[in-house]
Amino acid sequence: RGGCGGGIVLLNHIGKIVTAAAPAQASSQASPILVSLLSACNCIGRMAAGACSDALSRRRVPRPHLLAAATCLMGAAHAALLGAASPPLLYLGAAAGGAAYGAVWSLLPSIVGDIFPARHFATVYSLFSLAASSSSLLLSTLLATKVYAAHAHVTTPGAAAECHGSLCYRATHLAILGACAAGTAGALALGVRNRAIYRGKLLDRAAV
């Protein structure tokens, strides 16, 4: 859930994350750039992960290990955002988070196809939609929104409450870091458990 949920939090809250971390003038200038950067890196992550996983699988590197790397990158993105107090760290976090989120969704179909029989592909892959929706509900809709609201206050009469400072998303980033650590460990364990598949005939045929 960490790699997927962390990306959904970024997609849904990037504007408020910028407003919370940067001064008003800087945030207004940075928000459009960060949205574009996040989208562009999402696309780059999808393409790069697919190409890299194909190349490394021919060397019998389990694809789940690349999923672990992508999840770890998502954790690094939220670690950067956790300490972000200026646009450069925001750019770094958005770029890393976008690339990691794209990589996760590029790797999942390949991993399912490698490990499970083709007749079960649709059933198994559809379960990841459940993981995505549950992580969106827990991390983005519930946790991030409530943490932000708990520290928000009205600065101008009649205006919506806003939050400024590191506390606005600190608990959210920390929760995602924990989820990414668990997800990285799980992906590594999946790769170790199924390493025989990546050393066997399946990838020998793919390398031909």
Side-chain angles (χ1 to χ4, degrees), residues 7 10 37-43 45-46 74 77 93-103:
L10 287 180
L37 181 64
L38 185 62
S39 299
C41 290
N42 186 351
C43 178
R46 290 173 187 264
M74 181 62 75
Y101 185 66

Side-chain angles (χ1 to χ4, degrees), residues 47-134:
M47 294 188 296
C52 289
S53 69
D54 285 342
L56 292 177
S57 67
R58 296 189 185 99
R59 298 177 179 272
R60 293 180 169 79
V61 176
R63 289 187 209 268
H65 288 178
L66 295 178
L67 179 62
T71 305
C72 190
L73 180 61
M74 181 62 75
H78 281 273
L81 293 173
L82 180 63
S86 60
L89 275 179
L90 291 172
Y91 295 145
L92 177 62
Y101 185 66
V104 167
W105 283 108
S106 177
L107 291 168
L108 286 178
S110 301
I111 292 172
V112 172
D114 288 346
I115 295 176
F116 297 95
R119 64 181 180 276
H120 297 312
F121 179 87
T123 301
V124 175
Y125 185 66
S126 65
L127 294 176
F128 288 107
S129 298
L130 177 61
S133 59
S134 62

